[in-house]
Amino acid sequence: MGNEQRKRRESNIKSSKNIITACMIIVIVFFAVFVIRLVDWQIVNGKEYSELATRSTSYTVETAATRGEILDKNGEGLVVNTTHYKVVLDKLYLDEDKRNDTILQLIEILGKTGDKWEDILPIQVSANGEYSYKNDSEDEIKAMLSSDFLDLPSDTSAKGCIEQLAKRYDVDRQYSPEQLRNLLSVRYNMERCGFSNTVPYDFAKDISENAVSAVSENTQGVGGVEVQTYLIRSAKDADLAPHLLGALGSITENEYKELSEQDDTYTQNDKVGKFGIELACESYLKGTAGAKIIQRNADGAIMDAVETIDAKPGNTVYLTIDSKLQKTAVKSLETNVKAAKALGKANSAAYGKKNLGEDCETGAVVMLDVSDFSVLAAASYPTYDLNKYSKYDDYYVKLSENENSPMYNRAFVGSFACGSVFKPCVASAALEEGVIDVKKEIFCSQHYDYYPTNVVECMHYHGEMNVTSALTQSCNYFFAETGRLLGFDTMYLYAERFGLGEYTGVEVEESKGFLAGRDSTSWVPGNTVQAAIGQSDNAFTPLQLATYTATIANDGTRLRTHVIDKITNYERTETVADFHKAEVVAECGVSGKNLKSVQNGMLKVSTDENGTAYSMFGNYKVKVASKTGTAENAGSDHTTFICYAPYEKPEVAIAVVIEHGAKGQFSMQVAKDLLDDYFTLAPKV
């Protein structure tokens, strides 16, 4: 037993030694690894790890993208970016202990220069230090008191709000009532704007050059205060072409989803084009935001600021619009709409009748370059101020409530009964189909009653008429009978070829119009004679009428109508896309001989003493081919006018519609003003 106990004891001692040895080995290995890592940290990579240890946080700050500009064909600015100055507070650099003093210092500086800072607090202070709510600030007061912000009863006094704001922002120093109010206003707006390490705060925008100097000189050494340049996007001539240029608005959820599939740089805070060129060229105009990473150490000091992504400006869009012609179109349209209304009121009072033009309020005009069907001018009246519109405030509400719909693009979207300007299309189709020839005469007895339910009245008793004289004098009888013989199916097929009731292909929103017979929900044979004189269901846009006129002038070849000329980089040094090349859309299918007969008839409208446009263009220095029109509708008649010039070698085509204009002289005058300006024959309107 003694030997066995001794053996067990020796075994236990040996086992204990093994355990101790193993533990010592583990400890030695652990310390060896620690020493190796310590050498790596402090000697091999000591500097790198030292810097990493001192860095506690990094922030990514976005730098704004610059949206591209929109210019006319000559490089004149239509929508441009202008440089302005603002005072910005950057939380990453701002000394928190001195923030309130810095704010008050800036308020004092701007007070001396007469510049305004961002002040939205709906509370004012009187000379004796009493606080009160501002008038007409109900919405802001409600938002401030709501559960989403101060969570105070709706009857809380202005003084009570000031006290709560002071607690919220831990303002415990004694300030004068005005200083306290102003300081809290800035702190309040900072919070509303999401002021943070990654979102700087715009303290004051659009400051004067005096303010730039004063702030720069008086805040040297003050961290977090910076005067920055920024761009304001605006229409150079705000009411020149708002319907065409378009506007920006906050991106919607659906827009964000759709646009993000094409470009993953969009954010939910972006502004995007809502209509017009801003929408049509969104992908070209949109710039790309940049980004920089700012690193701070544990003490809050800035360690580094690295620009990781450079901001890229959007492209510049050149339109085919000529600003000079556009100004003429806008001014002439306004002048003649008002003149038509004034004459209508005078005649209505003199004759005791209605529907003489006294209800004339609106109109539109389009001018095209015949060589490529580019839009040289396109105006709708009434127009509006695009810069005011873009703010979406009370001005936008007033526009929306205006019964004349100033925001409606009558030139491209408005469809109007066209009247006799449709007759050249009917004449072309009838000649080509052999229904008539240039010598065929139809006797006009003024009262066309082939269909008793669709009687057509002619303005005069013309007697024998051929196609040339019928166009010259706009004989309804001749074209009613010609339309009957032609048939509405054939009539609208030719109309489509000329671009009537068809999309022109312009890059912005347009209407397809309405083509009698094709688009009518019901039809009887008698409707054909009404359609042949431009009545019935025919309703076309001024843009379509101009395209139709240009097609006649272009010997029957219809090109795609366009308003974008080219796209360049922002600096305008490199062309990104060129839209100038003419694109054939259709041939009208009328022989040169037959089309020449129609063109000759349109020339005589202007140059023959019996022509309906002779009073305006009979002695004009450039030969003009034209057609007048009067369209019956509720109220006074619409007046329409189409023309192209010069007749021998056409350069421009024009279409004018004056709603309820009654007298054709006013629509003709708009066209004449544009031709005067284009050919520089007379002083500008």
Side-chain angles (χ1 to χ4, degrees):
M1 291 294 293
N3 290 331
E4 290 179 1
Q5 288 178 347
R6 186 171 62 254
K7 289 179 180 179
R8 282 198 297 272
R9 186 172 60 198
E10 290 175 352
S11 176
N12 289 338
I13 292 172
K14 185 176 181 180
S15 177
S16 297
K17 288 181 177 179
N18 290 338
I19 292 173
I20 293 172
T21 301
C23 288
M24 291 180 65
I25 292 172
I26 291 172
V27 171
I28 291 171
V29 170
F30 174 79
F31 276 104
V33 171
F34 179 76
V35 169
I36 292 171
R37 294 301 296 161
L38 194 61
V39 170
D40 178 61
W41 290 339
Q42 294 187 352
I43 299 175
V44 179
N45 294 301
K47 183 178 181 180
E48 179 181 350
Y49 289 125
S50 176
E51 289 181 1
L52 286 173
T54 59
R55 295 175 185 174
S56 59
T57 312
S58 65
Y59 303 91
T60 300
V61 180
E62 187 177 275
T63 55
T66 300
R67 193 172 177 87
E69 297 183 316
I70 304 173
L71 314 177
D72 83 343
K73 64 180 299 181
N74 300 312
E76 292 291 325
L78 296 173
V79 177
V80 297
N81 301 318
T82 53
T83 302
H84 296 257
Y85 297 93
K86 63 181 178 180
V87 179
V88 177
L89 297 181
D90 192 330
K91 191 172 183 179
L92 284 170
Y93 296 88
L94 193 62
D95 188 334
E96 293 292 326
D97 295 334
K98 298 179 180 179
R99 175 165 54 182
N100 292 340
D101 290 339
T102 299
I103 290 171
L104 291 175
Q105 181 186 5
L106 289 173
I107 291 174
E108 182 180 358
I109 293 171
L110 295 185
K112 292 178 179 179
T113 62
D115 291 84
K116 294 182 179 180
W117 45 278
E118 297 295 309
D119 185 2
I120 67 168
L121 189 69
I123 296 174
Q124 58 193 359
V125 59
S126 65
N128 60 3
E130 297 293 326
Y131 297 107
S132 62
Y133 290 120
K134 292 181 178 179
N135 295 328
D136 301 322
S137 299
E138 291 81 5
D139 291 342
E140 190 64 48
I141 295 169
K142 184 178 179 180
M144 183 174 61
L145 296 175
S146 72
S147 58
D148 294 331
F149 205 79
L150 290 180
D151 194 18
L152 294 173
S154 59
D155 60 351
T156 301
S157 67
K159 181 179 180 181
C161 278
I162 290 291
E163 292 172 350
Q164 287 299 314
L165 288 170
K167 290 180 181 179
R168 187 181 187 92
Y169 302 124
D170 195 25
V171 180
D172 53 6
R173 273 186 52 187
Q174 293 298 314
Y175 295 102
S176 71
E178 183 177 7
Q179 285 180 319
L180 179 60
R181 183 261 166 214
N182 290 344
L183 175 59
L184 294 177
S185 176
V186 175
R187 296 292 299 275
Y188 169 69
N189 200 27
M190 279 179 163
E191 184 175 0
R192 292 288 299 273
C193 294
F195 181 56
S196 66
N197 287 326
T198 58
V199 181
Y201 174 67
D202 292 339
F203 178 82
K205 296 179 181 178
D206 200 16
I207 62 173
S208 65
E209 291 186 5
N210 287 338
V212 171
S213 299
V215 172
S216 299
E217 291 173 4
N218 289 282
T219 58
Q220 291 184 13
V222 178
V225 178
E226 184 179 2
V227 175
Q228 296 180 357
T229 59
Y230 69 105
L231 299 175
I232 291 182
R233 186 177 183 79
S234 61
K236 194 171 181 180
D237 194 338
D239 60 358
L240 185 63
H243 308 88
L244 176 61
L245 296 173
L248 302 178
S250 297
I251 194 170
T252 65
E253 183 176 351
N254 288 336
E255 288 172 334
Y256 176 70
K257 289 180 180 179
E258 181 179 345
L259 292 171
S260 294
E261 292 178 359
Q262 307 164 21
D263 184 346
D264 60 6
T265 63
Y266 277 97
T267 72
Q268 293 181 324
N269 295 321
D270 281 337
K271 299 281 188 180
V272 296
K274 292 296 182 178
F275 65 95
I277 294 298
E278 293 282 17
L279 172 60
C281 295
E282 170 64 29
S283 61
Y284 286 111
L285 291 167
K286 177 188 179 294
T288 304
K292 62 180 179 180
I293 295 177
I294 298 176
Q295 296 173 323
R296 299 179 66 171
N297 63 19
D299 297 327
I302 300 296
M303 294 293 298
D304 199 7
V306 180
E307 196 85 19
T308 57
I309 302 175
D310 292 332
K312 182 180 179 182
N315 294 308
T316 296
V317 175
Y318 281 79
L319 302 186
T320 62
I321 294 293
D322 185 312
S323 293
K324 180 170 67 77
L325 293 172
Q326 182 70 14
K327 289 176 182 178
T328 299
V330 171
K331 181 63 185 298
S332 180
L333 196 59
E334 177 182 7
T335 299
N336 284 286
V337 166
K338 290 180 177 179
K341 181 180 179 67
L343 180 61
K345 291 176 69 174
N347 286 340
S348 181
Y351 301 117
K353 297 180 180 180
K354 292 184 178 181
N355 301 331
L356 299 178
E358 72 281 358
D359 51 344
C360 181
E361 302 281 357
T362 55
V365 58
V366 175
M367 184 182 200
L368 301 184
D369 183 329
V370 174
S371 69
D372 64 355
F373 284 33
S374 57
V375 181
L376 296 176
S380 294
Y381 181 80
T383 186
Y384 60 96
D385 186 310
L386 185 57
N387 293 335
K388 291 181 180 179
Y389 167 92
S390 297
K391 296 178 181 178
Y392 293 97
D393 54 11
D394 292 343
Y395 182 74
Y396 176 82
V397 174
K398 290 178 181 177
L399 290 177
S400 302
E401 296 174 347
N402 189 318
E403 61 182 10
N404 291 322
S405 304
M407 294 184 290
Y408 185 51
N409 186 357
R410 290 174 166 81
F412 287 9
V413 180
S415 296
F416 308 100
C418 63
S420 295
V421 296
F422 188 64
K423 291 173 181 175
C425 173
V426 177
S428 299
L431 287 167
E432 190 65 26
E433 293 297 316
V435 171
I436 61 172
D437 58 37
V438 292
K439 294 181 179 180
K440 180 179 176 63
E441 294 184 336
I442 296 174
F443 186 83
C444 169
S445 61
Q446 194 171 8
H447 187 75
Y448 182 86
D449 59 358
Y450 187 93
Y451 297 106
T453 56
N454 281 277
V455 176
V456 174
E457 296 292 342
C458 197
M459 293 294 292
H460 303 284
Y461 182 97
H462 290 115
E464 295 291 351
M465 289 270 110
N466 60 28
V467 67
T468 302
S469 58
L471 283 170
T472 302
Q473 300 180 52
S474 198
C475 178
N476 284 345
Y477 194 109
F478 180 94
F479 282 99
E481 175 63 7
T482 300
R484 182 188 71 81
L485 296 172
L486 185 63
F488 78 88
D489 285 312
T490 305
M491 191 189 308
Y492 78 62
L493 286 175
Y494 278 88
E496 288 177 333
R497 295 174 186 173
F498 277 108
L500 298 172
E502 294 290 299
Y503 291 116
T504 68
V506 74
E507 297 88 347
V508 296
E509 182 187 6
E510 63 170 325
S511 170
K512 193 176 182 181
F514 203 91
L515 192 55
R518 184 195 69 182
D519 300 329
S520 302
T521 55
S522 61
W523 194 261
V524 296
N527 295 147
T528 302
V529 299
Q530 294 289 342
I533 63 171
Q535 295 289 160
S536 183
D537 295 327
N538 283 321
F540 310 123
T541 67
L543 181 66
Q544 287 173 327
L545 292 176
T547 300
Y548 155 60
T549 307
T551 302
I552 295 173
N554 200 36
D555 294 330
T557 299
R558 177 159 64 93
L559 306 178
R560 185 179 69 83
T561 307
H562 64 285
V563 72
I564 300 175
D565 186 33
K566 64 180 179 180
I567 313 289
T568 71
N569 59 356
Y570 189 81
E571 295 78 15
R572 312 177 194 176
T573 58
E574 180 183 344
T575 298
V576 175
D578 194 343
F579 298 85
H580 189 69
K581 185 178 180 180
E583 179 183 335
V584 176
V585 175
E587 298 289 345
C588 72
V590 180
S591 70
K593 178 183 176 182
N594 288 330
L595 198 56
K596 190 66 178 178
S597 297
V598 174
Q599 294 168 342
N600 182 54
M602 293 178 68
L603 174 64
K604 289 185 177 297
V605 171
S606 301
T607 60
D608 190 287
E609 290 185 358
N610 293 316
T612 53
Y614 180 78
S615 61
M616 187 68 65
F617 294 103
N619 296 313
Y620 202 64
K621 295 181 181 180
V622 173
K623 285 186 178 181
V624 178
S626 67
K627 187 67 192 79
T628 58
T630 302
E632 296 177 357
N633 56 91
S636 302
D637 294 339
H638 294 341
T639 64
T640 57
F641 183 73
I642 61 173
C643 70
Y644 66 86
Y647 173 74
E648 298 86 353
K649 191 176 181 181
E651 295 180 25
V652 293
I654 301 172
V656 184
V657 175
I658 295 185
E659 298 177 74
H660 309 296
K663 299 292 184 180
Q665 68 195 71
F666 300 108
S667 54
M668 286 190 284
Q669 185 63 55
V670 174
K672 182 177 180 294
D673 288 340
L674 277 168
L675 292 176
D676 286 349
D677 202 5
Y678 181 84
F679 294 112
T680 61
L681 297 174
K684 296 181 179 64
V685 177

